[in-house]
Amino acid sequence: MAKIAKAPEEKIISSRSLILDSAISIAIVAVILYFIGIDKILVEFSHINYIYLALSAFFLFLMYVVMSARLNLILRELGVKLKFMDIFRMHVVGMLLSDFTPARTGYLMVAYGLTKKHGVPEEKSTVAVLGPQIYDFMAKVILGTIALTYLLN
């Protein structure tokens, strides 16, 4: 699918939005540093096992790659061909948003982004995002039930 060119006004708005988002993020970090104190934060950083941190970052990245590949596969089956990196970027944004929204609903922004930024039809982007989520949910319920049964016996 061809990318839809942004109008100059949209580029200005998105640049302003990026600047505003960055300013808010910096302000939040500054408030955290002010109230907690940089000395306490540095003490906590000195206790981190950096091998475990690197391993967790590696496996998080690997999970993002696999989930993006799954999304790419579903979209291709639906007749939508996008670059893997475009899908990967959308997935990462969706995962980040899902960390801050109730019931991880921020991940639905992946479908919205695929539609708005890449021209994927709404029904295809929604199916590609929600379909696997249904299977993930069913697996969690089944495995949770098995674990609960095991713990209660």
Side-chain angles (χ1 to χ4, degrees), residues 37-101:
I38 196 160
D39 53 331
K40 290 182 182 176
I41 292 172
L42 291 175
V43 167
E44 290 302 320
F45 274 115
S46 70
H47 296 238
I48 293 174
N49 184 331
Y50 290 101
I51 293 173
Y52 289 148
L53 181 64
L55 278 172
S56 66
F58 170 74
F59 283 114
L60 179 67
F61 178 76
L62 183 63
M63 180 184 75
Y64 281 8
V65 168
V66 170
M67 290 180 75
S68 298
R70 175 178 74 176
L71 187 56
N72 189 23
L73 178 69
I74 293 167
L75 286 169
R76 286 190 183 274
E77 287 294 319
L78 294 172
V80 177
K81 292 183 175 129
L82 294 174
K83 293 179 185 174
F84 179 80
M85 283 308 295
D86 291 335
I87 294 171
F88 182 76
R89 282 188 202 107
M90 284 291 139
H91 171 73
V92 171
V93 168
M95 291 299 286
L96 181 63
L97 289 171
S98 72
D99 289 337
F100 297 102
T101 53

Side-chain angles (χ1 to χ4, degrees), residues 102-131:
R104 302 188 63 83
T105 54
Y107 193 69
L108 295 175
M109 285 300 292
V110 174
Y112 179 79
L114 289 171
T115 298
K116 292 298 180 188
K117 186 166 179 142
H118 299 288
V120 176
E122 288 179 24
E123 63 276 3
K124 289 184 179 183
S125 64
T126 304
V127 165
V129 169
L130 290 181

